Amino acid sequence: MKLFTKIFLQVTCVILILSSAIFFYTTCRWKDQSLQDINSYEWNRFQTSLSQMENQLRIAGSQSDASDPDLQEKILVYSFRHVFHDSAALYCNEKELYNGTSYEFEAETIGKLTAETLPQKKLSAFYDYDPVISKTDGKTLLLYSYSSTEYTGEENYQIVTYKDITDVLKRSQILFFQAGALTLGLLLFTGFLLFFSLKKIMAPLTKLNEAALCIADGNYDIQVPQNGNTELAQVGKSFNQMTAKIKEQIESLSAVNQAQRQLLGSLAHELKTPMTAIIGYADTLLTVRLSKERQERALTYIGNECRRLSRLSVKMLELTGLYETGESQLTLQEVPVADFLDEARKLTLYRLQEKNLHLEISCNPENLKKTFDKDLMLSVVTNFIDNAVKASEENSRILLHATNDRLTVQDFGKGIPPEDLSKVTDAFYMVDKSRSRANGSVGLGLSLCQKIADLHGYQMKIESTVGEGTKVSVLW
């Protein structure tokens, strides 16, 4: 069963029980209080009439012959009629002497009333009385009785009077149904208000449930209402903060995954050129008889390149943000540019020989020196040359030129279309995908060069014309 249904049914049951209890208590209490007030009034009135009658009997008895029973009976009837008129009945030993009412009271009823009358010696001893309720001819009566032998001696006379409460009971019954109808109407109205109030209160929870389902389907942009200062509004704020954190974490994981892809591609890309040179020197050592001096030179080159690859792998990890040493990412040193260009030529020598390309190097001025991270800048230059080799036809030439304000690599190959020129520095972007895959490229070379240039505070500029070639420069 849904939470809304449970709350609605439970609250409705509680309201129904409480309202029914209040309704029955109120109507029954009103009825009892009305009867009690009538009873108290009629009993006090009955006591007053009895007191008046007995005073008249004492006066008449003192002035008459007490030995004459007929005379005493007539005096009793006269005094009774003078006080009670036609609202009571007079009995003597259950014999009716006078009945001014429109009802006939049976001897059994008189005896019962007499038996239930509290024993007393004088009228002032009565403080409370519980009347007999009798139903006669469709009427409901309150019966009051009094029995005494003070005037008649051994004979017992009884007085019975009544109060018709039929109208009171009917009004009480009408009030009961009216109050019942009113209570039912209030219950229906309260239930109506409760239904829509609960629906409005539960609306944020419904939104939360829908939002949770959307998040389960992968939609992390979902937001729930969070206006107000209620507890549900606070839950909505917390929920939105949670979704924002989840989205942030997923984006962070996606960035890490992208960085890992770029790391693997960058490492593979950067390892390719020096490994080619290392393999070339190793093959030469295995297949060609060299002098001891040339062997030592080749082995020294292999060792230096291996150590450079080790340093380069650490720097590549730093660049991709996946490895932190706590130190500066750059190892800056003043480097003679002419020697730097010659080292770049040696690193790419085997790559150039594959297509019989000629690398023309120039440095102006010849004693030019620059401060940069040598390993990283070698990666930039070898990447430029490697891209130039890919774009050039066989037996062509490539220019490697350095001046005081820039370092440039220029080829005379097929060039880059204008629409692709602004995208070539994006990671994994390749102008000619089929050709690049055939050459083992993954589209990370220029992206990595851009990062290295940014790290040094340099600018990278690419100029290209389709069919004429490309010029890539680092403005330092």
Side-chain angles (χ1 to χ4, degrees):
M1 185 181 293
K2 293 184 178 180
L3 180 61
F4 173 82
T5 307
K6 288 183 179 179
I7 295 176
F8 179 75
L9 291 178
Q10 290 177 1
V11 174
T12 302
C13 289
V14 171
I15 294 176
L16 179 62
I17 293 172
L18 290 177
S19 60
S20 299
I22 294 172
F23 163 69
F24 283 109
Y25 174 79
T26 303
T27 53
C28 293
R29 183 60 182 161
W30 180 88
K31 177 183 175 181
D32 292 341
Q33 187 62 45
S34 299
L35 292 178
Q36 184 177 351
D37 292 341
I38 294 173
N39 180 47
S40 178
Y41 174 77
E42 293 296 329
W43 177 245
N44 290 332
R45 182 181 174 189
F46 184 52
Q47 285 181 316
T48 302
S49 298
L50 288 175
S51 179
Q52 292 176 359
M53 178 178 170
E54 291 198 350
N55 287 335
Q56 288 191 9
L57 287 176
R58 279 194 291 271
I59 294 172
S62 64
Q63 297 176 357
S64 63
D65 186 4
S67 60
D68 187 353
D70 294 333
L71 180 60
Q72 293 296 326
E73 184 175 307
K74 289 179 181 179
I75 292 174
L76 179 61
V77 173
Y78 172 80
S79 299
F80 171 78
R81 294 186 62 185
H82 181 73
V83 174
F84 287 97
H85 303 290
D86 294 330
S87 61
L90 176 64
Y91 296 88
C92 183
N93 293 329
E94 299 184 2
K95 174 186 176 183
E96 184 179 274
L97 297 181
Y98 180 81
N99 187 357
T101 69
S102 58
Y103 303 100
E104 294 292 335
F105 301 103
E106 299 177 357
E108 181 180 354
T109 303
I110 302 305
K112 181 179 180 182
L113 288 172
T114 303
E116 292 183 352
T117 301
L118 295 176
Q120 74 279 339
K121 292 185 178 180
K122 54 183 179 179
L123 188 62
S124 59
F126 284 90
Y127 293 100
D128 195 7
Y129 181 73
D130 188 14
V132 173
I133 298 178
S134 176
K135 292 186 178 180
T136 305
D137 297 334
K139 301 288 186 177
T140 302
L141 309 175
L142 289 181
L143 300 180
Y144 303 91
S145 67
Y146 173 72
S147 177
S148 176
T149 59
E150 183 176 349
Y151 178 73
T152 58
E154 294 181 357
E155 293 183 355
N156 181 30
Y157 76 89
Q158 300 93 24
I159 298 175
V160 178
T161 187
Y162 71 94
K163 173 62 178 177
D164 190 346
I165 59 171
T166 304
D167 291 339
V168 175
L169 295 179
K170 285 183 178 180
R171 288 196 300 270
S172 176
Q173 188 176 23
I174 292 172
L175 179 63
F176 178 84
F177 287 113
Q178 289 177 344
L182 178 62
T183 302
L184 181 60
L186 289 175
L187 279 174
L188 294 175
F189 180 71
T190 304
F192 180 81
L193 289 180
L194 179 63
F195 177 83
F196 286 99
S197 299
L198 282 176
K199 192 172 183 180
K200 185 176 181 180
I201 293 172
M202 298 290 289
L205 292 178
T206 304
K207 294 287 186 182
L208 283 174
N209 181 54
E210 293 174 354
L213 293 176
C214 290
I215 291 175
D217 292 335
N219 181 11
Y220 299 100
D221 294 323
I222 192 72
Q223 294 284 309
V224 297
Q226 57 181 26
N227 299 326
N229 296 319
T230 63
E231 289 79 359
L232 289 177
Q234 295 298 324
V235 172
K237 292 179 181 178
S238 301
F239 185 88
N240 290 335
Q241 292 175 359
M242 179 192 70
T243 55
K245 286 292 183 181
I246 291 175
K247 183 179 179 181
E248 181 181 340
Q249 291 295 328
I250 290 177
E251 290 176 350
S252 176
L253 291 174
S254 298
V256 171
N257 183 53
Q258 177 69 12
Q260 289 174 340
R261 285 185 62 198
Q262 188 166 349
L263 169 65
L264 294 174
S266 299
L267 285 175
H269 190 278
E270 290 307 306
L271 289 174
K272 183 177 180 180
T273 300
M275 287 301 294
T276 300
I278 291 172
I279 291 171
Y281 277 107
D283 288 343
T284 301
L285 289 172
L286 291 173
T287 58
V288 180
R289 285 184 174 273
L290 300 176
S291 64
K292 185 174 182 181
E293 182 181 353
R294 294 183 64 185
Q295 288 179 359
E296 290 179 354
R297 189 186 307 163
L299 291 172
T300 301
Y301 178 82
I302 292 173
N304 290 337
E305 286 305 297
C306 288
R307 282 188 288 273
R308 190 177 77 85
L309 285 176
S310 177
R311 295 193 303 271
L312 187 60
S313 63
V314 174
K315 292 181 182 296
M316 293 300 299
L317 288 170
E318 291 177 346
L319 286 175
T320 54
L322 298 179
Y323 179 74
E324 296 181 0
T325 61
E327 303 294 335
S328 173
Q329 294 178 333
L330 297 178
T331 304
L332 299 178
Q333 55 182 320
E334 190 177 53
V335 179
V337 176
D339 294 342
F340 173 76
L341 297 180
D342 185 62
E343 188 172 351
R345 180 189 64 81
K346 292 177 182 179
L347 286 173
T348 57
L349 182 59
Y350 285 95
R351 188 81 174 94
L352 294 166
Q353 290 176 350
E354 286 179 356
K355 298 179 73 172
N356 196 26
L357 299 175
H358 178 64
L359 180 64
E360 299 179 3
I361 300 175
S362 63
C363 180
N364 186 19
E366 293 184 359
N367 60 348
L368 178 65
K369 293 183 179 181
K370 287 289 182 178
T371 301
F372 48 75
D373 188 309
K374 184 178 178 181
D375 292 330
L376 292 180
M377 287 303 295
L378 277 174
S379 294
V380 172
V381 175
T382 53
N383 264 299
F384 288 170
I385 295 174
D386 185 64
N387 287 336
V389 170
K390 294 175 183 176
S392 300
E393 299 294 333
E394 292 186 1
N395 303 314
S396 182
R397 64 193 181 100
I398 297 173
L399 304 180
L400 175 57
H401 181 64
T403 64
N404 193 48
D405 63 342
R406 70 181 60 201
L407 185 150
T408 303
V409 174
Q410 182 178 1
D411 66 71
F412 302 92
K414 58 183 179 178
I416 302 173
E419 63 272 15
D420 294 324
L421 197 58
S422 62
K423 303 175 184 178
V424 292
T425 56
D426 295 343
F428 304 103
Y429 185 82
M430 294 175 286
V431 177
D432 188 345
K433 294 181 175 57
S434 60
R435 190 184 191 96
S436 297
R437 289 195 182 97
N439 292 329
S441 176
V442 292
L444 282 169
L446 290 179
S447 173
L448 184 62
C449 293
Q450 181 69 63
K451 284 186 178 181
I452 295 174
D454 293 341
L455 203 59
H456 283 80
Y458 300 158
Q459 292 183 4
M460 197 170 77
K461 183 178 181 181
I462 303 176
E463 302 170 273
S464 183
T465 302
V466 176
E468 296 183 6
T470 302
K471 181 190 294 186
V472 184
S473 304
V474 173
L475 308 180
W476 55 15

